Amino acid sequence: MIRVKDLDFAYGKHQILKGINFSIDEASVISLIGPNGSGKSTLLKCISGLLPVRDNTVYLFGKPIENLEIKERAKLISYLPQNLGKLHGVNVYELISMGRAPYHSSGWISSEEDLEKIDWAIEYMNLNSMVHRPVEKLSGGEKQRVWIAMILAQDTPIILLDEPTTYMDLKYQYELLKTLKDIKISFNKTIIAVFHDINHAIKVSDYVFLLNEGRIYLSGTSDEVITEETVKKVYDIYVHVCNFRKCCHKVVVPGEI
């Protein structure tokens, strides 16, 4: 599905990624965590094809990404960046419809399949009540849900999300995490997401990649990767990895400040 082999990336002389290697062969949720500047967002952009990479370093379904046409790639992998552009004069339905662009040979005439995917994404993200509202009039959390619906309408087997819980309040953060797990299970999709909140990564992940200084410092399950020792080593902060009686998973809390 995805294979990354000896991936390096630099902005000019500033090396960002150094010798990244991993393979993902089955539907799963992979969280990228690590300090600011560790290369998480850059890695997503390289996998998506938005940043140029050396030949034969990123493969999608066995094909080097440089050999895929833009529309062909957009049917395999979708990407939601951390910083979303401002839109004016576009309503919620129109934005979600843009997710179907890779399937149009010309113009914006929607097929029956397009309409089904759009309606499904609207329903799935519980946006029925706002389909005619201008996107610029929405709150930050509402906009984020609409952009995610657009990605879902694109209907790719691989979904890349950079800080998907940004702007969301507590309720919608955890509803989104449940949604990501359900998308994987119900629709057999692979999701790679950047999280700053380590507890979000613990809750949602099948696997965690901990990045530090442009390298994958450690990868595995959240129990294997997120420990008091590794957090101290990579983030330079003391934490407690706790098991609370009412929680179904471990929780990271800071030590004394």
Side-chain angles (χ1 to χ4, degrees):
M1 187 180 296
I2 303 176
R3 184 185 177 201
V4 176
K5 180 182 177 184
D6 297 327
L7 173 63
D8 298 319
F9 186 82
Y11 290 106
K13 295 182 179 180
H14 183 44
Q15 194 76 24
I16 305 295
L17 299 176
K18 308 166 187 175
I20 300 289
N21 290 276
F22 66 85
S23 294
I24 302 169
D25 298 314
E26 59 183 2
S28 47
V29 179
I30 297 96
S31 292
L32 306 182
I33 64 172
N36 290 340
S38 57
K40 304 182 296 297
S41 297
T42 300
L43 178 56
L44 282 192
K45 291 176 183 177
C46 288
I47 298 171
S48 71
L50 288 178
L51 290 176
V53 297
R54 286 188 294 109
D55 288 356
N56 302 312
T57 54
V58 176
Y59 295 80
L60 301 181
F61 294 90
K63 295 182 179 180
I65 196 169
E66 63 271 11
N67 291 349
L68 297 172
E69 297 292 335
I70 293 176
K71 282 196 172 183
E72 184 181 4
R73 189 172 71 225
K75 293 177 183 178
L76 298 177
I77 193 163
S78 51
Y79 167 68
L80 188 66
Q82 182 177 356
N83 298 311
L84 302 171
K86 294 182 179 180
L87 292 176
H88 298 284
V90 176
N91 68 28
V92 168
Y93 188 91
E94 290 166 339
L95 177 57
I96 296 170
S97 301
M98 292 178 187
R100 301 302 298 168
Y103 304 91
H104 296 167
S105 57
S106 63
W108 281 97
I109 299 174
S110 295
S111 67
E112 184 175 341
E113 182 180 6
D114 291 332
L115 296 175
E116 288 175 357
K117 297 294 184 183
I118 294 164
D119 289 343
W120 169 78
I122 290 169
E123 181 75 26
Y124 195 79
M125 292 304 295
N126 194 25
L127 296 169
N128 300 76
S129 64
M130 59 178 72
V131 290
H132 300 299
R133 291 176 61 187
V135 174
E136 69 263 26
K137 300 293 185 181
L138 304 179
S139 70
E142 288 171 336
K143 289 177 183 176
Q144 191 77 349
R145 289 165 56 207
V146 173
W147 281 102
I148 290 170
M150 186 196 74
I151 291 295
L152 295 181
Q154 193 173 336
D155 194 27
T156 57
I158 303 167
I159 299 172
L160 309 180
L161 303 171
D162 195 351
E163 286 293 323
T165 55
T166 299
Y167 308 119
M168 290 183 171
D169 62 26
L170 190 62
K171 173 186 175 181
Y172 284 115
Q173 285 180 13
Y174 281 89
E175 284 193 359
L176 176 62
L177 296 179
K178 287 194 297 182
T179 296
L180 297 184
K181 293 178 74 170
D182 182 65
I183 290 169
K184 181 207 75 170
I185 295 168
S186 300
F187 306 106
N188 202 41
K189 294 182 184 294
T190 289
I191 300 166
I192 306 178
V194 171
F195 290 110
H196 274 305
D197 190 325
I198 295 177
N199 289 313
H200 289 176
I202 292 174
K203 187 171 182 64
V204 77
S205 305
D206 296 301
Y207 303 102
V208 175
F209 294 174
L210 175 58
L211 274 69
N212 189 35
E213 297 181 349
R215 302 182 187 277
I216 297 179
Y217 178 81
L218 194 61
S219 64
T221 65
S222 60
D223 283 343
E224 293 168 335
V225 173
I226 301 171
T227 67
E228 294 174 358
E229 292 76 17
T230 56
V231 172
K232 176 63 178 72
K233 176 71 175 178
V234 173
Y235 288 89
D236 192 27
I237 183 175
Y238 289 104
V239 299
H240 303 294
V241 180
C242 306
N243 284 299
F244 295 111
R245 185 176 300 174
K246 292 186 177 181
C247 294
C248 59
H249 55 78
K250 293 180 179 179
V251 177
V252 174
V253 296
E256 287 189 26
I257 297 176

